[in-house]
Amino acid sequence: MHTPLASPARSAPRPATWPVVASGVLALAVAMGIGRFAFTPLMPLMLRDGTLTAEAGAEWAAANYLGYLAGALTAGWFSGNPGRGLAASLAGVALTTLAMALAGAPAPALLGTALRAAAGLFSAWALVCASGWCLAELARRGAPRLGAWIFTGVGLGIALAGALAWLGGRQPAARLWLELGMLALAGALLAGFLARRAGAVPAAAPEREAAAVARGAADGQGALILCYGLFGFGYIVPATFLPAMARDLAPDPLVFGLAWPLFGLAAILSVAGAARSLAAVPRRRLWAAAQALMALGTALPVAIHALWAVAASALLVGGTFMIATMAGLQLAREARPDDPTPLLARMTAAFAAGQIAGPLAVRAFGAGGGDGLGPTGAVAASLLALSALWLWRAGRRRV
């Protein structure tokens, strides 16, 4: 009688990836598409309703940028547990969006400023935590290339918020804030449910070995942070002023309101196309190409005052800003596979500083009574083009 040989150990089934991707998509749709960018299509409607002045609108936008910078600087708090940071930030986005229905005249002016600052803080936390958690989990599940798909969430949120403002443009803006807040709350709850369902996979031995090497590596990180900051400065001019430019050319909300959904739709399609067809392209080269097209989109509406130029800018900038975001944050993950959250936070802080500098430059160039958009757009387009050239050359050296 003999003992049967033990059967060879079967490899454990690979954990499911779709809950991680779906949770990331929803998280970024809520945090960025609604919490970060919903004010852009709603500001012209609040101006129309008389609940907001142009000066207060500029202050609210600046408060959001400052909150975003503060969020980027403090996102490192969640380095050990990005899932906890993601849950807290999504809850904050939903609550501040709902509360925006109370902002504006006759409410105290500081209420809107405080709420936009808080929304900026929470959206920065969510971007850093969602990127860190989702990219790490997908890498541990053996599907790192699926990480590109989570960035379609930003375009999805922008398109949904823009479509709601466009189709409901004849409603009071306060009602639209309530509707967006309910949408954000539903999205946050569903993202949390999917994240819990996905669970967590322990780091494998190769990842731990790579982490030990990465802890002391800082190759190119400073240049990545700088390029990401220039990206923030360059994109913010069209991202902030496109709906207002369109409103000056076509006062009907059913016409000018199309600019923002178009921006979001371009973001969805471009990231989906990049995730499907450009996964093998080096991230620096992909980022460089996106930044070059963004430079063209930034320059176009300030050089040509026509509705078609605004629409083309929405497509060019909307179709590239999330590819640049995706490529930049994926490079951060490659540079620090052990714990990308601190580098992600520094890059997001540089981005936030750049987008604060954009409106300040518009104001400074317009201080003499002229239009500050033209000179700022020219400077932004030039910096985007120069950083694109550097990224392309850096990508060529690494091929």
Side-chain angles (χ1 to χ4, degrees), residues 320-342:
T320 55
F321 92 103
M322 276 317 301
I323 290 184
T325 301
M326 172 192 74
L329 298 185
Q330 285 178 323
L331 281 170
R333 163 70 190 165
E334 292 173 11
R336 287 296 306 268
D338 60 324
D339 183 12
T341 304

Side-chain angles (χ1 to χ4, degrees), residues 13 54 56 66 112 119 137 165 194 210 216 220 238 247 263 296 307 343 348 350 353 359-360 371:
L66 288 170
E137 284 300 316
L194 290 169
R247 184 173 180 263
F263 190 97
L296 176 61
L307 203 57
L343 179 55
T348 305
L360 291 177
D371 183 5

Side-chain angles (χ1 to χ4, degrees), residues 3-348:
T3 304
L5 295 174
S7 59
R10 295 182 180 178
S11 59
R14 179 176 292 180
T17 57
W18 73 265
V20 179
V21 175
S23 179
V25 168
L26 284 169
L28 293 185
V30 169
M32 303 299 291
I34 296 177
R36 175 73 182 83
F37 289 117
F39 183 58
T40 301
L42 287 182
M43 184 173 76
L45 301 180
M46 295 184 77
L47 292 171
R48 176 205 64 191
D49 295 346
T51 58
L52 185 69
T53 64
E55 293 77 14
E59 290 172 3
W60 289 13
N64 186 260
Y65 302 151
L66 288 170
Y68 194 80
L69 176 59
L73 292 172
T74 55
W77 293 347
F78 304 108
S79 177
N81 191 350
R84 183 182 62 186
L86 184 58
S89 59
L90 291 181
V93 166
L95 292 175
T96 52
T97 305
L98 284 168
M100 279 297 295
L102 304 175
L110 286 178
L111 176 62
T113 304
L115 288 173
R116 293 310 298 154
L121 175 85
F122 292 132
S123 59
W125 283 358
L127 176 64
V128 172
C129 292
S131 301
W133 178 74
C134 291
L135 294 179
E137 284 300 316
L138 290 171
R140 290 165 186 167
R141 285 164 165 78
R145 290 187 175 182
L146 290 180
W149 287 96
I150 73 169
F151 296 100
T152 61
V154 179
L156 176 64
I158 288 174
L160 285 174
L164 188 63
W166 173 50
L167 295 173
R170 293 194 170 95
Q171 297 181 67
R175 184 177 299 173
L176 292 173
W177 278 117
L178 279 176
E179 293 167 2
L180 282 171
M182 294 302 296
L183 192 62
L185 183 60
L189 291 172
L190 184 54
F193 169 77
L194 290 169
R196 287 192 298 273
R197 174 168 179 167
V201 175
E207 184 180 358
R208 291 193 296 271
E209 292 168 6
V213 175
R215 288 183 198 279
D219 181 31
Q221 291 184 18
L224 289 180
I225 293 169
L226 176 61
C227 285
Y228 210 66
L230 293 176
F231 160 39
F233 178 82
Y235 106 102
I236 198 62
V237 174
T240 300
F241 297 105
L242 268 181
M245 292 177 184
R247 184 173 180 263
D248 288 341
L249 295 165
D252 186 346
L254 290 179
V255 178
F256 76 76
L258 267 174
W260 202 238
L262 200 61
F263 190 97
L265 183 61
I268 298 173
L269 296 177
S270 63
V271 175
R276 184 178 179 86
S277 305
L278 303 176
V281 175
R283 297 296 92 176
R284 279 179 176 79
R285 288 202 162 187
L286 185 61
W287 185 358
Q291 208 126 306
L293 289 173
M294 192 186 303
L296 176 61
T298 301
L300 196 58
V302 296
I304 303 172
H305 299 283
L307 203 57
W308 71 264
V310 174
S313 178
L315 290 172
L316 284 169
V317 180
T320 55
F321 92 103
M322 276 317 301
I323 290 184
T325 301
M326 172 192 74
L329 298 185
Q330 285 178 323
L331 281 170
R333 163 70 190 165
E334 292 173 11
R336 287 296 306 268
D338 60 324
D339 183 12
T341 304
L343 179 55
L344 290 170
R346 287 195 292 272
M347 291 175 66
T348 305

